[in-house]
Amino acid sequence: MQPLFLYNTLTRKKEEFKPIKPPLVGLYVCGPTVYSDVHLGNCRTFISFDMIYRYLVHIGYKVRYVRNITDAGHLEGDRDEGDDKFAKKAKLEQVEPMEIVQKYTVGFHDVMQAFNNLPPSIEPTATGHICEQIEMIKEIIAKGFAYVVDGTVYFDVEKYNKDFSYGQLTNRKLEELLEGTRELSGQDEKRGRLDFALWINAKPETLMRWPSPWGWGFPGWHIECSAMSSKYLGDVFDIHGGGMDLQATHHTNEIAQSQACNHKAPVNYWMHTNMLTVNGARMSKSAGNGFLPGELFTGDHPLLEKGYSPMGVRFFMMQTHYHSTLDFSNEALQASEKGFERLMESHNTLQTLKAGTTSSEDIKALQQKCYDAMNDDFNTPILIAHLFEAARIVNSANDNKLTVTQNDIDTLKNIYQHFVFDVMGLKKEEENSKTTAVLDKVIHMVLDIRNKAKVEKNFPLSDEIRNKLTDAGVQIKDTKEGSSWKI
Ligand code: AMP
Ligand code: ZN
């Protein structure tokens, strides 16, 4: 296997990737908080890690990819203040919190599928791992790094920092971090300004709460990822990822929790994706500048000039390195759509390309350049430049401006298959429309049978057909002009 280098946030260096137990790789990515729809910024992070996962698998690793679902314990403020976001939404929509969780988890999966993201190997939920979180909190208390005040358990950051380095992930000293945090008031329960809640005491009217050794309550946000990553990947594992916005608090606290328990750094490589911005401002749920993927596909948003295809958007994301910010603009998306079409057209041309007897280009070297780009911290923009070079060669060979051998054609086919489809996770959009066209024909065939049954007054059969279509998720509309359907 060729060496793979990746940028480690913890050491602030590009390092050669050496898994603990090759060919196994443990990869944990912080997943969505399912109290609302994911926006395009969230999607950028999940698409980037999908590409990283795909490349690790492509070069021969056996990856256990864990991406959690945060479905409890998420307060509005980063500092353990405010309402539980799930309970607030449930009250607003007058439903159970678990209905909120279900609705947005299903929506999240639909979006991931639209972008052709592979499902993770394990997708654990916070509410499904309350026992593990309680056990871990007990361990942190036993090790002397947490204290209980009125049923709430706080992590003692200053005490922890005497033995370990709390700000190591962001390269900040404790004093600097303390300066940036507001003074405690008489109302605060916690002892130190940076202390954070591991378990939060809940009032009887709190909708989502569980019994614990400290009374009824719910877990703090950070403990779920420590508990679930160690359960599925071990106390020390290879790669932990998420958006850069998680570095300073969520991931810093994850390291502290795990290290307090095991006295070992939990993760060898920390990887962070940079933010998707709109006019320079970070796209976020709270700022309200987030497009939902559905709005992006239909174009139904004031900032959008038209609808964009999921693969055009995925290609747009691949054109910037995951570690750089990516600013949304209609022009950039339209340019990406054109580039994506150009790549797909050249792939079609490649299928009918005639082999010559001589080689004008070194295609093997081009293939190696694609690997070199990916081995250099998953550099997809450089990879795409090489893929456009492949497209140029294909088109020139087709126009008889240069010649390629059968070997060259086979290597070019491998380049497209491996890098465009397997690693970048792009797929031909026409495959979707072909499937829809076939489905349309099949449904109309079934509707014709139903119409015949109606004409013959065989109503039990016509009703049965309609009911079965409804069960399958197909909604039928009968009009004078005929019947139409939608899913
Ligand atoms: P959340 O559902 O808010 O917890 O976020 C899910 C994931 O999306 C986390 O890894 C975040 O770091 C990431 N994320 C949030 N906003 C953005 C953004 N504007 N650009 C890229 N990633 C983001
Ligand atoms: Zn997390």
Side-chain angles (χ1 to χ4, degrees):
M1 208 181 279
Q2 299 174 5
L4 164 66
F5 287 84
L6 48 86
Y7 182 80
N8 189 351
T9 316
L10 190 64
T11 56
R12 287 163 285 283
K13 278 199 289 254
K14 245 188 231 177
E15 291 174 3
E16 185 176 345
F17 178 54
K18 300 238 190 249
I20 300 164
K21 280 192 216 140
L24 303 181
V25 170
L27 167 65
Y28 187 94
V29 174
C30 290
T33 310
V34 288
Y35 72 98
S36 65
D37 288 304
V38 280
H39 57 64
L40 198 63
N42 304 130
C43 293
R44 181 186 188 200
T45 290
F46 300 129
I47 290 173
S48 298
F49 280 103
D50 181 64
M51 173 274 294
I52 289 167
Y53 170 49
R54 282 166 175 272
Y55 187 63
L56 291 170
V57 171
H58 173 70
I59 57 176
Y61 287 118
K62 199 170 173 312
V63 185
R64 183 179 292 167
Y65 174 19
V66 183
R67 188 184 64 207
N68 69 303
I69 295 274
T70 297
D71 59 351
H74 206 151
L75 297 185
E76 288 194 300
D78 239 5
R79 298 270 160 212
D80 308 322
E81 297 149 346
D83 276 340
D84 176 338
K85 290 172 175 173
F86 296 92
K88 193 173 171 189
K89 195 70 176 267
K91 273 187 202 147
L92 200 72
E93 297 193 11
Q94 295 192 324
V95 293
E96 277 292 312
M98 270 301 161
E99 287 181 82
I100 297 292
V101 166
Q102 180 70 9
K103 176 176 164 185
Y104 293 109
T105 303
V106 169
F108 170 65
H109 288 155
D110 288 348
V111 169
M112 292 298 98
Q113 213 179 358
F115 281 123
N116 203 27
N117 276 355
L118 297 171
S121 331
I122 305 176
E123 196 171 48
T125 61
T127 55
H129 295 77
I130 299 291
C131 295
E132 287 82 352
Q133 295 177 71
I134 290 175
E135 285 309 307
M136 191 161 193
I137 297 168
K138 279 168 46 186
E139 184 72 20
I140 299 172
I141 296 175
K143 294 272 163 72
F145 292 109
Y147 55 92
V148 188
V149 185
D150 282 344
T152 293
V153 186
Y154 288 102
F155 189 93
D156 191 334
V157 171
E158 283 169 65
K159 178 146 191 245
Y160 169 82
N161 196 61
K162 290 199 177 99
D163 295 347
F164 307 98
S165 159
Y166 177 70
Q168 54 180 312
L169 194 59
T170 46
N171 200 20
R172 309 272 302 274
K173 292 220 159 42
L174 191 76
E175 298 70 46
E176 285 174 60
L177 294 170
L178 281 167
E179 265 172 35
T181 321
R182 70 164 172 78
E183 299 259 1
L184 290 180
S185 72
Q187 315 245 296
D188 279 301
E189 287 177 336
K190 53 189 179 186
R191 294 180 196 155
R193 282 192 244 176
L194 292 168
D195 294 357
F196 57 91
L198 298 169
W199 186 264
I200 299 158
N201 175 263
K203 298 185 191 87
E205 63 270 25
T206 303
L207 292 174
M208 292 172 98
R209 60 190 199 125
W210 293 265
S212 79
W214 317 286
W216 284 84
F218 55 94
W221 169 33
H222 317 297
I223 194 75
E224 73 177 83
C225 288
S226 293
M228 294 192 283
S229 61
S230 63
K231 172 164 176 153
Y232 296 111
L233 300 175
D235 291 340
V236 181
F237 60 95
D238 298 303
I239 306 176
H240 192 315
M244 266 184 202
D245 56 324
L246 301 183
Q247 219 173 299
T249 306
H250 182 53
H251 291 163
T252 291
N253 291 349
E254 266 190 57
I255 295 177
Q257 293 165 155
S258 298
Q259 197 137 312
C261 273
N262 308 312
H263 290 203
K264 281 187 277 194
V267 175
N268 286 345
Y269 303 89
W270 281 92
M271 293 184 71
H272 290 97
T273 48
N274 213 325
M275 297 291 105
L276 181 78
T277 56
V278 186
N279 297 325
R282 181 190 142 196
M283 187 178 276
S284 80
K285 286 176 191 165
S286 47
N289 62 353
F291 315 118
L292 304 182
E295 292 167 339
L296 194 75
F297 303 151
T298 58
D300 189 13
H301 190 283
L303 280 169
L304 296 168
E305 285 172 10
K306 65 178 210 60
Y308 298 95
S309 68
M311 288 304 110
V313 177
R314 189 172 173 114
F315 190 59
F316 162 71
M317 299 208 177
M318 295 288 145
Q319 282 181 315
T320 301
H321 189 256
Y322 77 86
H323 214 256
S324 309
T325 53
L326 170 61
D327 200 46
F328 166 86
S329 78
N330 281 285
E331 300 77 64
L333 263 174
Q334 283 162 27
S336 287
E337 275 195 333
K338 287 213 179 82
F340 177 61
E341 274 164 31
R342 195 143 55 91
L343 216 51
M344 291 302 114
E345 277 162 18
S346 65
H347 181 254
N348 290 342
T349 308
L350 177 60
Q351 307 316 307
T352 54
L353 201 61
K354 300 271 177 306
T357 48
T358 54
S359 281
S360 322
E361 304 274 343
D362 190 347
I363 309 294
K364 284 272 184 231
L366 184 62
Q367 175 169 260
Q368 185 54 46
K369 282 185 190 167
C370 294
Y371 279 105
D372 293 345
M374 288 304 288
N375 287 334
D376 184 15
D377 197 22
F378 309 94
N379 200 326
T380 51
I382 300 285
L383 169 68
I384 289 171
H386 297 316
L387 292 172
F388 279 132
E389 175 61 7
R392 182 195 65 80
I393 293 170
V394 169
N395 292 336
S396 302
N398 195 47
D399 295 342
N400 296 321
K401 288 184 189 141
L402 56 86
T403 56
V404 284
T405 62
Q406 190 54 48
N407 263 348
D408 292 336
I409 292 179
D410 293 343
T411 309
L412 280 164
K413 283 185 178 167
N414 278 339
I415 291 177
Y416 275 83
Q417 184 57 46
H418 293 159
F419 292 100
V420 179
F421 301 117
D422 297 347
V423 171
M424 286 206 292
L426 296 163
K427 63 176 183 189
K428 287 202 173 149
E429 309 258 40
E430 65 197 31
E431 275 172 26
N432 280 344
S433 44
K434 261 190 220 154
T435 312
T436 313
V438 171
L439 191 63
D440 187 59
K441 275 192 193 150
V442 172
I443 294 179
H444 273 108
M445 194 174 80
V446 175
L447 291 178
D448 285 346
I449 298 171
R450 175 171 162 260
N451 281 342
K452 251 189 221 157
K454 270 193 193 168
V455 171
E456 290 163 6
K457 303 214 172 345
N458 186 351
F459 296 115
L461 178 62
S462 70
D463 287 348
E464 190 186 344
I465 292 175
R466 188 193 186 96
N467 292 342
K468 285 200 167 152
L469 283 171
T470 309
D471 284 350
V474 180
Q475 203 183 320
I476 306 296
K477 198 171 159 198
D478 294 316
T479 60
K480 273 189 219 133
E481 289 77 40
S483 305
S484 62
W485 66 274
K486 68 174 185 184
I487 289 177

